[in-house]
Amino acid sequence: MSNNFSYWERAAFIDNADVIIIGSGIVGLSAALHLKTREANLKVLVLERGFLPSGASTKNAGFACFGTVSEHLEALKHTSEEDVARLANYKWRGLQRLRQNLGDANIDYQQHGGYELFMTGEEAHAEKAIDNISRLNNLLKPAIDGHNIYTAADAKIAGFGFNGVSRMIYNAFEGQIHTGKMMRALLNKCYQKDIIVLNGCEISAIYNNGDHIDLTSPQGNFTAKKVIMATNAFAKQLYPELKVTPGRGQVLISKPIPGLKLKGTYHFQSGYYYFRNIDGRVLFGGGRNLDFAAEETPEFGHTDAVKQKLTKYLNQVILPGQNVEIDYWWSGIMGFNEEISPIVKRLEPNMFCAVRCNGMGVAMGSLVGEEVAELALR
Ligand SMILES: Cc1cc2nc3c(=O)[nH]c(=O)nc-3n(C[C@H](O)[C@H](O)[C@H](O)COP(=O)(O)OP(=O)(O)OC[C@H]3O[C@@H](n4cnc5c(N)ncnc54)[C@H](O)[C@@H]3O)c2cc1C
């Protein structure tokens, strides 16, 4: 190492790692947790480039969701019914695992249900979605523990005070979490299991030497017997051949709103816009579809086009006439591809990856992490 690490620092934190995980998002930490659950004696080290996790896991909307009718119908255009049901089941099981691992109270899990909204002018699209409710309920019933998931819910629209919403579909089985609490609970669980998480450590190169792998970072070199890359949207920076395209999501949170009526998770325009209640406020995000090329970036930030659109929908559709003030803006980066499944595989001997949750990692991340940990243990 080309730095000033002490003998103590090396022995306690750095040297002799059995497995190094690159990236401390939900997937990386879930993988670490699973490794230590299966093999308590392993030395597991997680290396994260950010001061906090710096991708999607602390930036998301916290929807514990497994898909709207429109999203499933869109997927069915290029994917088989079997695959759509399999993915819904994967997300459903992933959410159960997240809750089981961390506990509902620790992640503030609340099941107020989810709604898909259709605007005035989208009647044909709404009609098609509503006509497909029983088809999707039948298809997904076995995937979601035998429940009939979707029901038409037009009668509830007026109670939320929306403007310009003409039709609505309800899903009683969706919930929401507090994203920050979820990631803290996950980190706490990792610390309890003696997993070392080091921040400010960006890996810039990987050298596979057969019986060990060296990783280069500005802090110095790290060595492990096995490495798991869980860098999601940033995967191509280390493995350019991986099919992962970054997609930025921009989000706002309003100031607290006295007498807020909405409660639950809401999607519209095929999931490109989403909002929910949190602590008496509204979280609202989306708008990637306004300019896919501009949002296909690994850079955090905002665009005027998306900010203006979100502000307009907030004031005209979601909370009409209330002149709501916005308290926070932020963005996060997701990893996408038209293939709907994540990439969990061996890249080369002793080197594995688990990336591309396609914007659904709250739901899938726990299982994706477990799967890659199992691969590494084999
Ligand atoms: C705005 C937004 C809203 C979302 N809403 C939802 C939702 O409501 N429900 C849902 O299910 N999903 C949602 N998602 C998606 C979900 O957050 C992601 O799918 C999930 O967090 C992905 O987890 P991950 O661990 O794979 O990736 P990440 O959380 O991105 O973690 C990857 C980590 O790797 C680190 N890293 C990258 N390169 C390096 C390197 N070279 N060296 C060291 N570290 C590195 C990054 O800093 C990052 O912390 C949303 C995402 C965004 C951005």
Side-chain angles (χ1 to χ4, degrees):
M1 285 210 156
S2 58
N3 50 38
N4 187 34
F5 288 131
S6 69
Y7 174 79
W8 319 114
E9 287 165 337
R10 282 168 178 255
F13 296 99
I14 291 158
D15 285 352
N16 303 317
D18 292 300
V19 185
I20 287 181
I21 296 171
I22 312 173
S24 74
I26 184 170
V27 171
L29 295 181
S30 301
L33 207 56
H34 193 68
L35 286 170
K36 285 292 274 186
T37 306
R38 292 269 274 102
E39 303 254 353
N41 293 331
L42 286 180
K43 182 169 178 182
V44 178
L45 178 57
V46 182
L47 301 178
E48 164 58 48
R49 65 177 185 172
F51 152 72
L52 289 169
S54 301
S57 295
T58 51
K59 311 282 190 191
N60 60 58
F63 285 29
C65 59
F66 45 89
T68 60
V69 169
S70 296
E71 283 164 347
H72 294 310
L73 291 178
E74 186 56 35
L76 283 168
K77 286 184 189 160
H78 35 83
T79 314
S80 68
E81 287 200 340
E82 251 177 13
D83 279 350
V84 168
R86 193 180 43 76
L87 191 72
N89 172 259
Y90 194 81
K91 288 188 263 178
W92 175 254
R93 286 187 297 117
L95 287 167
Q96 315 297 321
R97 186 56 53 87
L98 179 75
R99 295 171 60 191
Q100 207 176 50
N101 279 348
L102 303 180
D104 284 355
N106 294 325
I107 62 176
D108 209 358
Y109 177 81
Q110 304 197 26
Q111 194 168 321
H112 299 308
Y115 299 86
E116 178 170 14
L117 314 180
F118 300 90
M119 303 298 153
T120 309
E122 289 186 315
E123 283 77 11
H125 177 38
E127 205 59 46
K128 191 174 167 211
I130 289 164
D131 284 351
N132 273 281
I133 284 181
S134 60
R135 174 190 173 202
L136 284 171
N137 279 343
N138 288 335
L139 175 66
L140 301 180
K141 212 181 226 177
I144 316 290
D145 290 347
H147 300 299
N148 263 327
I149 309 169
Y150 303 107
T151 46
D154 295 346
K156 287 187 169 189
I157 297 173
F160 292 128
F162 299 138
N163 177 39
V165 175
S166 65
R167 310 293 304 266
M168 193 157 79
I169 296 175
Y170 179 53
N171 170 355
F173 300 95
E174 289 200 341
Q176 56 200 78
I177 61 160
H178 187 301
T179 293
K181 289 184 184 172
M182 180 272 287
M183 285 300 286
R184 263 193 72 180
L186 198 47
L187 269 170
N188 280 337
K189 195 115 197 220
C190 286
Y191 299 143
Q192 280 161 22
K193 290 214 178 270
D194 201 24
I195 292 161
I196 302 164
V197 182
L198 300 180
N199 289 68
C201 193
E202 177 157 12
I203 301 305
S204 55
I206 300 172
Y207 300 98
N208 198 331
N209 303 292
D211 61 341
H212 70 276
I213 296 178
D214 290 324
L215 304 176
T216 309
S217 88
Q219 319 298 347
N221 297 334
F222 291 82
T223 298
K225 293 185 191 125
K226 296 186 180 184
V227 171
I228 293 174
M229 188 179 76
T231 57
N232 197 33
F234 313 95
K236 276 180 165 234
Q237 293 170 358
L238 291 168
Y239 276 85
E241 67 275 22
L242 286 173
K243 288 186 190 157
V244 186
T245 305
R248 182 171 58 195
Q250 304 183 35
V251 181
L252 66 81
I253 279 200
S254 72
K255 288 201 167 161
I257 300 161
L260 181 68
K261 290 183 193 153
L262 58 93
K263 204 180 201 183
T265 59
Y266 303 78
H267 289 94
F268 61 96
Q269 281 191 21
S270 302
Y272 282 114
Y273 293 89
Y274 42 87
F275 60 97
R276 60 171 280 189
N277 64 302
I278 174 73
D279 299 335
R281 305 163 182 258
V282 171
L283 176 155
F284 180 32
R288 250 182 350 107
N289 55 338
L290 289 173
D291 188 345
F292 283 115
E295 300 309 313
E296 200 179 296
T297 170
E299 303 296 329
F300 295 92
H302 288 98
T303 58
D304 287 344
V306 172
K307 279 182 101 164
Q308 279 165 16
K309 195 69 169 183
L310 290 178
T311 309
K312 193 170 160 198
Y313 274 134
L314 182 71
N315 286 311
Q316 295 184 358
V317 174
I318 302 170
L319 298 159
Q322 296 190 42
N323 279 331
V324 174
E325 287 183 73
I326 296 169
D327 220 358
Y328 302 89
W329 285 98
W330 72 83
S331 65
I333 315 290
M334 295 164 269
F336 289 107
N337 185 260
E338 66 239 355
E339 286 170 51
I340 56 178
S341 299
I343 309 176
V344 180
K345 68 174 186 183
R346 192 186 84 134
L347 292 164
E348 48 187 278
N350 298 322
M351 177 78 214
F352 307 85
C353 81
V355 296
R356 196 180 73 195
C357 280
N358 275 311
M360 300 173 289
V362 171
M364 304 198 294
S366 307
L367 286 187
V368 172
E370 268 186 40
E371 269 184 29
V372 76
E374 283 296 326
L375 267 187
L377 285 170
R378 239 175 256 165

